[in-house]
């Protein structure tokens, strides 16, 4: 099985150096891209069917093509390395273990959109990734893969590493731009969209780490190759992960469309002794729960959506039968309420109320009507009702928990206690 | 007064941005690295240095959870309280830490050695439960293992 | 025009507007919080949700925020849609989770937008059963009280304070449901427009602290349409009274002038009306003895004086109404009527008016829309503050115009700001000292008056493409001049602003030369001149001579009795001159409302009504005559100045003394005698005006009756005072709907008890029905100003001497507002400003024009070399005519 994203990584966890990287065809994609026109690069990526790996799944080539043709420079590329979605740990691996792959992807993307300055927006806690990226940036500059006149092509690019100061909302791409500009990270009004008005008002493309890591391979091997990597209509491979009470929690690069069951049972080794799978969040904290009946759902955009959830980041969190679904939902909603940026009412107000109701249920202080209030909150926080996607994301696990684990919620009220804590 | 080193570091980062105010968060992080936290005095000094008002800068500073506007101990323990770690029983780790150190969240040990804080998912869910001391991440926590970890931070 | 469908009915709409504004203008009750008509939409509160449908066949629709959705042709929405209504109810419920529900003790109660919206959405049952978050409040200075627990996080305050008014000592802090709006630490808010927060905030977080000291509910307050008396801009205000005490001032929307906002001097100036220094009873001074008089005694004393007097000289006032000045002029005769200001100030004012008869004076709304500005020699924030706020909007014009190119509507505030970034359009400020607009200026130039004039002339010369600059013009100045010229020429709507702040005719003429040169290049630019006082312009239309000439008249024996109208002459000229003037007169009659040095020397003092207790007309900086109306009838001996003067006329045996029963008689006589003032009659409807036979009530409607006003004091129903002077009634009874703008005492609509009722009233972009008020007394004829006059000589510093410049203070330089404790507490103490040479705080002696001041030095590094500054008009400092050369020495001891 081909593993373009992780195949080069070293077993001991040490990062791939630029020498090793180049020996394994590293920076060949960049060389090839620099020989193409930017439009041809965009076309290739568009043909590859690459969709964003940051959660929303927007077509990457299409996004790049939204930078207005004649837009004056500067333009910016920003790598979204904020990775703060609970349950998600895929970008960390890509940056820690093979930082040049990301830099090469960024160089190609920058070339394609005409950016000469790029930023990596890295979450503060990824200190190891920060050190390795800095080292890789240094190596790449030395090797003329970055800086002025890259590889003799006349293309210049500087990449700056910016480390954040916390807050999940910074991952939302327009909030991220505000954070990068040194402001409060409230999301921005859309339109205008970042490809038109972005960082400091200039055209800006924001892409996820994994998305950018796919790019060198697409350019080097062609869009057709990338599409064939997959087991479904969504192209490429994807980093899938699993955490929770499975035998071997971890991260695996697998073809798009790999069924959930295969990931859970083969790669993660199935559930630990003594517990059974009760449900799972397929793509991070802001996706709807799926349950046993969905185990054969293929992990790709359409498949998970058809099952009533979202592929999200592709890293699943598994709920077992000894863990309280209400407690888990409370934990999730506590996170979202805490991380609300405070801009729009449904989010800052609705999520804190939601959290408090769930906390009351867990304390055994639930009241009749609480579940209806929670259901009402999920409608209240529906997409379009809020200013950005944080709150609707928060509503997803809640609404599906109320659907699939209704009996548990009711038991909390009936028994005036959390039945899992006896 | 900002130290020469602090100024120099801020000036370095400034080169990355076309707009001076954009360095605000980096500047706060830099002085925090030097001083442990950002006092009102420090905040004013930084604001002054980068041409902002204290209100401008504090509006930014109070948005972010990793900019400390209150004193912290020599080492900050950030215990992940997000979903995977919750499933894997981080609450037991918290209880152990609290009783061992005699502090709750947001508190600093009497000897000024540790401050205990909750933190959102550290992106190491496959090793849950996880915590971070200063810049270092530790996974697969057990009470027994914790003692050894804390020993490394005096 | 677009057609939008609301509940399946077609309406005309402006496609450039958003659906929220459209719906409100059409009279729909659609609740909202974060939107503000002057600040646009940000989509934060989510309160204005409506259902939008793709077309007639779409029955599902989707929720959209009306404020973020354009009123585009064919847009189809439902406000009543159950899902939308449920969502809106949810938003209010969410906003109220943490709200303290402290309406009974909240100053906003009864005029609270949050209350109104809560009722409107039908949220009446509390389902939230958990703890509320709480905050600590801050001390923010004398103007505003802070109660953060009431906050609903609509972000309006911070958007106004920072985004609109340019303040930088206030912000939003923290996140989620704990966002805090305030200062970084306790302290006086620095921005000169902070008081607007009380109106901008839709609930009771920021409330008028001065009102709180004598609090009364809006529904118990009596209002009148009025005009701010604190400077010459002429902002429209609604002062509020109860029990004979003025309680506060709120903004009264005027689309062409103040729009939604006032400056803090204007808003808080009202306190002087309640001052202990009010003259409430007539008195006679004989020798050292002061004898209180009843009104009748005063009148007979008056008759006596006038009967035995060989002639009356009238001293008018720039802070008295047109009508009071006119009545005095009638009493004294035009030849013996003198402006109560010195010749120089009068000449400057008359010059500015003359120039505005050639080049158009812009309204504030026009100023806001200009996109390149030269301010020549005026610190506008200190003299005519509201103009400075308008200039702050003008610098947004060029950057914002890029939004249109990106097809982003201007009301989409967040998006427009993203596009505009922090860029500012060209504003050039040439002034004596640093100004509060420098932060948005493309370039500043600080110089002595002569050099400021020279810069102006150089700009004019550059525009005329005659580069025959004087040889001694510094290259830096000519470069700046051509940069300014290019910016003005390259703009779509350039503007020139100047005024008498430098006390320099050359500066004023230079400003006109720039405007003239622009017109010559096919880019006519309006010319805004500040006017220091509420009726400086009106007075200057009436008087041709100042105090120096008045002294001549007394000396030559042309008059014996001095009648001084609402004026402390010691603020207008050096005391030697005023002493002389008062000394020469056999009788001095002072008609005024506050004790001051002039009244102290009068032989007869007549207690005059303030602007709040009288009716009259002020002429503002544009030449617009505007009527202000009595808020309440003054008690006891106080009456309007024009009535005192009418009584004088009667005492002098004049026919008008018998026939002037109401203000309209004065206005009519004034128009006959001075045709130029005749249009002032149209400034507002006459006293006989009725709407469907009814007067306009001064009090908001209540479900309880009129008796409730004093129900806690007496059970008797007192008869409201009659009002012969206006179509207003001292009552809540009368025409129940919205009267014309000029007669609107307060803003209110059923269900809309806050000032935001205004937004529900408006039916077209910016205009409040039924039309604006006030009338311009003069208009520009041709836009071509006289060619540049002679170049004044460049300023040259002198050895051992300083050119002392007048420095103006928003809080301190204006006379009446300084009688109010809130404003007085923010005024500087007397000082002398020096560039260097002395220590901060060091006591020095300043000698200038024969006067000696002992003052602490304040270092102001921005002052031009060779100059120093003295504050203008501060109580405790004698008047001295500046600029003039003086010496500054270390004070002995
Ligand atoms: C609340 C919130 C948090 C997000 N966090 C991240 C993140 O940490 N990393 C990321 O790549 N995308 C995140 N996203 C998605 C980004 O907004 C954006 O869609 C993505 O970075 C685009 O990159 P892609 O097209 O390559 O996926 C977040 C979105 C929301 C609404
Ligand atoms: S949904 Fe609203 S409050 Fe929540 S994070 Fe997004 S913009 Fe901020
Ligand atoms: S008024 Fe429309 S969202 Fe606030």
């Amino acid at each position: 099985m081909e593993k373009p994203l992780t195949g080069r990584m070293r077993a001991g966890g040490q990062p791939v150096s630029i020498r090793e990287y180049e020996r394994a065809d590293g920076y060949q994609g960049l060389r090839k891209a620099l020989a193409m026109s930017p439009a041809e690069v965009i076309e290739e990526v568009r043909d590859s069917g690459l969709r964003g790996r940051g959660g929303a799944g927007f077509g990457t080539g299409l996004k790049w093509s939204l930078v207005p043709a004649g837009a004056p420079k500067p333009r910016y590329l920003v790598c979204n390395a904020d990775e703060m979605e609970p349950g998600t740990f895929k970008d960390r691996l890509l940056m820690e273990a093979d930082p040049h792959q990301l830099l090469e992807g960024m160089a190609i993307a920058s070339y394609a959109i005409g950016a000469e300055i790029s930023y990596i927006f890295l979450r503060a806690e990824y200190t190891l990734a920060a050190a390795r990226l800095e080292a890789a940036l240094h190596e790449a500059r030395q090797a003329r893969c970055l800086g002025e006149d890259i590889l003799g092509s006349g293309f210049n690019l500087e990449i700056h590493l910016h480390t954040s100061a916390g807050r999940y909302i910074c991952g939302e791409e327009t909030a991220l731009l505000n954070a990068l500009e040194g402001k409060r990270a409230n999301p921005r009004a859309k339109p205008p969209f970042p490809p038109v008005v972005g960082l400091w008002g200039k055209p800006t493309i924001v892409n996820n780490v994994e998305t950018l890591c796919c790019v060198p391979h697409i350019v080097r091997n062609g869009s057709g190759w990338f599409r064939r990597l997959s087991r479904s209509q969504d192209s490429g491979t994807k980093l899938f992960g699993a955490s929770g009470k499975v035998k071997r929690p971890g991260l695996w690069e697998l073809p798009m469309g790999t069924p959930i069951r295969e990931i859970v049972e083969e790669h993660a080794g199935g559930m630990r002794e003594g517990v059974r799978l009760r449900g799972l969040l397929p793509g991070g904290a802001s996706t709807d729960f799926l349950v046993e009946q969905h185990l054969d759902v293929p992990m790709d955009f359409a498949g998970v959506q058809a099952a009533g959830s979202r592929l999200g980041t592709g890293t699943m969190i598994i709920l077992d039968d000894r863990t309280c679904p209400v407690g888990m939902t409370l934990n999730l909603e506590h996170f979202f309420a805490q991380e609300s940026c405070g801009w729009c009412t449904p989010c800052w107000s609705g999520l804190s109320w939601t959290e408090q109701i769930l906390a009351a249920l867990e304390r055994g202080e639930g009241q009749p009507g609480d579940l209806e209030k929670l259901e009402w909150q999920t409608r209240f926080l529906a997409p379009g009702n809020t200013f950005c996607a944080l709150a609707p994301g928060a509503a997803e696990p809640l609404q599906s928990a109320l659907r699939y684990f209704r009996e548990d919620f009711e038991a909390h009220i009936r028994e005036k206690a959390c039945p899992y804590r006896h | 007064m900002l130290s020469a080193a602090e100024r120099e570091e801020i000036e370095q980062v400034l080169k990355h941005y076309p707009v001076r105010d954009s360095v605000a968060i980096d500047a706060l992080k830099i002085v925090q690295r030097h001083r442990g936290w950002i006092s009102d005095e420090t905040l004013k000094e930084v604001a002054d240095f980068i041409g902002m008002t204290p209100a401008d800068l504090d509006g930014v500073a109070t948005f972010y959870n990793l900019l400390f506007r209150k004193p912290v101990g020599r080492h900050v323990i950030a215990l992940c309280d997000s979903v995977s770690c919750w499933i894997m029983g981080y609450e037991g780790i918290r209880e152990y830490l609290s009783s061992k150190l005699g502090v709750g969240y947001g508190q600093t040990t009497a000897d000024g050695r540790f401050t205990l804080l909750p933190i959102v998912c550290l992106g190491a869910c496959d090793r849950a439960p996880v915590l971070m001391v200063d810049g270092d991440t530790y996974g697969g926590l057990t009470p027994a293992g914790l003692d050894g970890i804390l020993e490394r931070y005096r | 025009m677009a057609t939008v469908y609301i509940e399946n009915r077609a309406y005309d709409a402006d496609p450039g507007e958003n659906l929220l504004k459209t719906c409100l203008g059409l009279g729909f009750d659609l609740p909202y919080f974060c939107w503000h008509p002057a600040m646009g939409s940000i989509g934060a509160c989510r309160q204005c949700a409506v259902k939008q449908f793709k077309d007639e066949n779409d029955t599902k629709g989707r929720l959209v925020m009306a404020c973020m959705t354009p009123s585009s042709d064919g847009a189809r929405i439902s406000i009543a849609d159950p899902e939308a209504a449920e969502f809106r109810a949810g938003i209010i419920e969410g906003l109220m989770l943490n709200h303290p529900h402290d309406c009974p003790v909240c100053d906003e109660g009864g005029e609270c937008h949050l209350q109104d919206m809560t009722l409107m959405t039908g949220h009446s049952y509390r389902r939230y059963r958990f703890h509320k978050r709480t905050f600590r409040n801050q001390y923010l200075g004398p103007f505003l009280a802070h109660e953060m627990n009431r906050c609903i996080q609509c972000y309006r305050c911070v958007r106004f304070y920072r985004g609109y008014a340019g303040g930088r000592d206030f912000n939003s802090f923290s996140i989620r449901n704990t966002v805090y709006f305030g200062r970084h630490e306790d302290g006086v808010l620095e921005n000169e427009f902070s008081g607007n927060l009380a109106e901008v905030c839709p609930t009771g977080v920021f409330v008028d602290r001065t009102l709180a000291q004598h609090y009364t509910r809006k529904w118990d307050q009596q209002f009148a349409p009025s005009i701010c008396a604190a400077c010459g801009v002429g902002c429209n205000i609604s002062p509020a009274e109860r029990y004979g005490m003025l309680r506060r001032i709120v903004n009264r929307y005027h689309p062409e002038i103040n729009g939604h906002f006032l400056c803090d001097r204007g808003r808080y100036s009202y306190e002087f009306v309640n001052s202990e220094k009010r003259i409430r009873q007539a008195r006679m001074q004989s020798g050292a003895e002061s004898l209180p008089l009843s009104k009748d005694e005063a009148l007979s004393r008056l008759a006596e004086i006038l009967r035995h007097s060989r002639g009356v000289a009238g001293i008018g006032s720039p802070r008295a109404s047109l009508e009071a000045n006119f009545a005095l002029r009638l009493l004294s005769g035009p030849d013996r009527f003198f402006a109560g200001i010195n010749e120089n100030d009068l000449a400057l004012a008359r010059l500015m008016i003359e120039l505005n008869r050639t080049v158009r004076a812009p309204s504030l709304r026009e100023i806001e829309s200009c996109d390149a500005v030269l301010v020549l020699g005026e610190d506008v924030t200190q003299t005519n503050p509201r103009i400075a706020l308008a200039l702050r909007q003008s610098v947004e014009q060029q950057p914002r115009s890029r939004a249109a190119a990106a097809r982003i509507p201007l009301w989409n505030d967040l998006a427009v700001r993203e596009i505009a970034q922090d860029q500012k359009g060209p504003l050039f400020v040439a002034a004596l000292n640093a100004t509060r607009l420098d932060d948005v200026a493309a370039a500043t130039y600080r110089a002595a008056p002569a050099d400021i004039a020279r810069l102006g002339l150089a700009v004019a010369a550059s525009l005329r493409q005659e580069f025959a600059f004087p040889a001694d013009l510094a290259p830096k100045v000519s470069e700046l001049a051509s940069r300014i010229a290019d910016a003005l020429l390259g703009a779509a709507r350039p503007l020139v602003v100047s005024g008498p702040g430098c006390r320099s005719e050359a500066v004023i003429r230079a400003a006109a030369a720039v405007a003239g040169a622009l017109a010559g290049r096919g880019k006519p630019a309006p010319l805004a001149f500040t006017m220091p006082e509420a009726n400086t312009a009106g007075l200057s239309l009436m008087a041709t001579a100042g105090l120096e000439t008045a002294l001549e008249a007394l000396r030559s024996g042309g008059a014996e009795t001095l009648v001084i109208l609402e004026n402390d002459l010691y603020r207008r000229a050096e005391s030697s001159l005023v002493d002389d003037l008062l000394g020469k007169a056999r009788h001095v009659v002072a008609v005024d409302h506050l004790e001051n040095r002039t009244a102290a020397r009068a032989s007869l003092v007549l207690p005059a009504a303030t602007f709040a207790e009288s009716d009259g007309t002020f002429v503002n900086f544009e030449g617009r005559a505007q009527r202000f109306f009595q808020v309440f009838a003054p008690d006891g001996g106080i009456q309007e100045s024009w009535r005192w003067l009418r009584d004088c006329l009667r005492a002098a045996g004049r026919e008008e003394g018998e026939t002037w029963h109401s203000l309209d008689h004065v206005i009519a006589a004034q128009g006959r005698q001075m045709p130029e003032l005749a249009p002032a009659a149209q400034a507002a409807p006459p006293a006989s005006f009725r709407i469907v036979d009814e007067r306009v009530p001064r009090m908001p409607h209540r479900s309880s009756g009129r008796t409730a006003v004093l129900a806690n004091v007496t059970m008797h129903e007192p008869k409201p005072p009659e009002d012969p002077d206006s179509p207003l009634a001292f009552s809540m009874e009368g025409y129940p709907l919205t009267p014309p703008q000029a007669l609107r005492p307060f803003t209110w609509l059923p269900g809309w008890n806050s000032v935001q009722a205004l937004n529900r009233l408006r039916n077209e972009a910016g205009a409040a029905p039924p039309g604006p008020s006030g009338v311009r007394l003069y208009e520009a004829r041709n836009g071509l100003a006289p060619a540049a006059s002679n170049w004044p000589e460049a300023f040259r510093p002198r050895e051992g001497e300083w050119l002392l410049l007048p420095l103006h203070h928003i809080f301190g330089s204006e006379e009446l507002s300084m009688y109010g404790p809130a404003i007085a507490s923010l005024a500087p103490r007397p000082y002398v400003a020096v560039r260097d040479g002395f220590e901060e705080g060091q006591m020095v002696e300043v000698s200038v024009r024969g006067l000696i001041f002992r003052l602490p030095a304040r270092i102001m590094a921005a002052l031009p070399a060779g100059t120093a500054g003295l504050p203008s008009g501060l109580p405790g400092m004698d008047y001295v005519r500046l600029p003039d050369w003086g010496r500054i020495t270390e004070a002995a001891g």
Side-chain angles (χ1 to χ4, degrees), chain B residues 43-44 52-56 58-59 62-63, chain C residues 162 168-175 184-185:
Chain B
L43 184 103
K44 285 181 192 161
M52 295 171 91
T53 65
D56 293 343
D58 209 16
T62 54
F63 191 96
Chain C
R162 295 176 68 89
R168 286 186 69 185
D169 61 323
F170 181 95
N171 210 346
S172 18
F173 303 92
S174 188
I175 67 162
H184 162 247
E185 56 196 3

Side-chain angles (χ1 to χ4, degrees), chain C residues 646-885:
Chain C
R646 184 232 13 224
D647 294 341
C648 292
L649 286 165
R650 183 187 297 143
R654 297 284 294 266
E655 178 209 339
E656 290 86 353
E658 306 300 333
T659 55
W660 283 4
H661 298 303
S662 97
L663 186 74
D664 287 337
H665 297 135
V666 192
I667 294 173
Q670 174 179 277
R672 280 195 303 275
Q673 287 222 356
M674 307 187 70
E676 188 179 29
L677 303 184
Q682 263 76 62
S688 58
F689 176 86
R690 295 288 181 275
I691 316 177
V692 277
D693 284 343
E694 297 211 73
R695 283 178 178 263
V696 175
R698 280 182 170 90
M699 307 181 80
H701 303 266
R702 292 173 299 262
S703 49
S704 55
R706 159 157 44 100
T707 24
V709 183
L710 286 164
N712 60 336
V713 178
T714 168
M715 286 304 291
H716 298 289
E717 184 176 326
K719 185 174 177 299
E722 311 242 320
D723 185 353
D725 299 320
S726 85
L728 300 154
F730 291 105
S731 161
M732 61 164 282
E733 285 152 16
Y735 180 67
L737 301 178
T738 307
Q741 158 100 11
L743 291 178
R744 195 177 322 141
F746 52 85
T747 321
W748 182 84
L749 277 180
W752 293 76
N753 297 293
S754 81
V755 286
Q756 305 210 33
L758 182 69
N759 300 322
R760 224 337 223 77
L761 270 178
R762 296 206 284 175
N763 54 7
E764 58 184 274
S773 73
V775 56
R776 286 204 184 204
L777 297 183
Y778 47 87
E779 279 287 0
R781 283 186 299 261
N782 57 20
L784 281 180
S789 57
N790 295 337
W791 292 74
E793 255 182 60
F795 169 74
R796 250 180 229 98
R798 292 185 190 166
E799 192 61 39
E801 272 191 298
W802 280 264
L803 184 69
L804 286 155
L805 305 170
L807 302 181
H808 303 276
H809 289 280
I810 174 171
F811 307 127
S813 296
E814 198 277 327
E815 177 184 4
L816 300 179
S817 55
M818 282 296 283
Y819 284 82
I823 285 182
S825 73
L826 296 184
R829 292 284 161 77
Y831 68 90
V832 56
V834 292
R835 231 172 95 96
D836 44 31
F838 298 93
E839 305 275 305
E840 176 79 28
Q842 182 184 354
M843 287 305 290
V844 297
E845 242 171 46
V846 182
S847 58
V848 54
R849 294 177 64 85
L851 297 174
I852 293 184
F853 297 89
R854 228 181 104 88
L855 296 166
R858 265 174 67 180
I859 308 299
M860 295 194 186
L863 284 170
T867 71
L870 285 178
S872 230
L874 283 196
M877 270 184 86
D878 272 352
Y879 177 92
V880 56
R881 186 171 151 181
L882 299 181
D884 210 334
W885 292 96

Side-chain angles (χ1 to χ4, degrees), chain A residues 340 342-352 377 380-381 385-387, chain C residues 33-34 43-47 87 90-97 152-155 177:
Chain A
S340 163
W343 185 254
C344 65
T345 313
C347 178
W348 64 253
S349 173
L351 287 177
S352 99
Q377 290 286 356
F380 190 55
L381 298 171
N385 291 1
T386 57
F387 193 76
Chain C
F33 289 102
C34 63
C45 73
R46 317 304 277 182
Q47 183 62 70
F87 181 76
I91 292 291
I92 276 284
E93 186 172 20
L95 293 174
M96 296 298 283
L97 296 190
I152 57 161
Q153 287 187 216
C154 71
Y155 290 88
N177 61 344

Side-chain angles (χ1 to χ4, degrees), chain A residues 84 86-89 92 119 123-127 160 162-167 179 181-185 200 243-245 249 272 317-318 323-324 327-328 331 335 338-339, chain B residues 15-19 21-22 24-26 29 59-60 62-67 81-84 86-88 90-91 119-127 132 135-137:
Chain A
M84 288 183 73
T88 304
F89 47 99
R92 176 203 275 263
Y119 297 90
R123 71 173 292 189
E125 295 89 337
Y126 281 5
T127 47
H160 299 300
H162 172 99
T163 57
S164 175
R167 291 300 171 211
E181 290 183 16
K183 299 176 178 157
R184 293 168 62 79
W200 298 295
S243 62
K245 290 186 186 152
R272 285 191 186 182
I317 306 157
I318 292 166
T323 299
C324 174
M328 177 163 167
N331 180 280
F335 168 82
Q338 172 184 296
E339 296 300 311
Chain B
K15 293 184 190 148
H16 300 176
Y17 306 114
V19 174
D21 286 3
S22 297
I25 296 166
D26 301 87
K29 287 186 72 170
V60 174
T62 54
F63 191 96
Y64 298 94
N65 55 312
L66 295 174
L67 298 173
D81 68 356
S82 288
V83 62
S84 303
W86 178 82
I87 292 173
M88 302 308 285
Y90 92 84
E91 282 168 333
I119 196 140
V120 297
C121 175
L122 283 169
C125 318
D126 50 342
R127 293 182 279 148
M132 200 163 146
D136 315 321
T137 308

Side-chain angles (χ1 to χ4, degrees), chain C residues 19-103:
Chain C
L19 279 171
L20 172 60
K21 187 167 177 186
T22 300
C23 289
L24 294 172
L26 289 168
F28 286 95
D29 280 342
L30 179 56
Y32 64 88
F33 289 102
C34 63
W35 175 77
H36 187 286
M39 297 190 282
S41 310
I42 56 165
C45 73
R46 317 304 277 182
Q47 183 62 70
C48 64
V50 296
K51 196 59 121 7
Q52 183 167 29
F53 303 92
K54 282 203 284 290
D55 51 43
E56 291 136 278
N57 304 323
D58 177 5
T59 50
K60 202 163 161 286
R62 64 186 184 104
L63 288 187
V64 297
M65 299 309 128
C67 73
M68 296 295 278
T69 312
S71 305
S72 36
D73 198 33
R76 194 169 269 282
I77 57 166
S78 168
I79 298 172
D81 174 87
E83 202 192 323
E86 190 200 8
F87 181 76
R88 292 194 302 265
I91 292 291
I92 276 284
E93 186 172 20
L95 293 174
M96 296 298 283
L97 296 190
N98 295 301
H99 189 80
H101 295 77
D102 59 343
C103 307

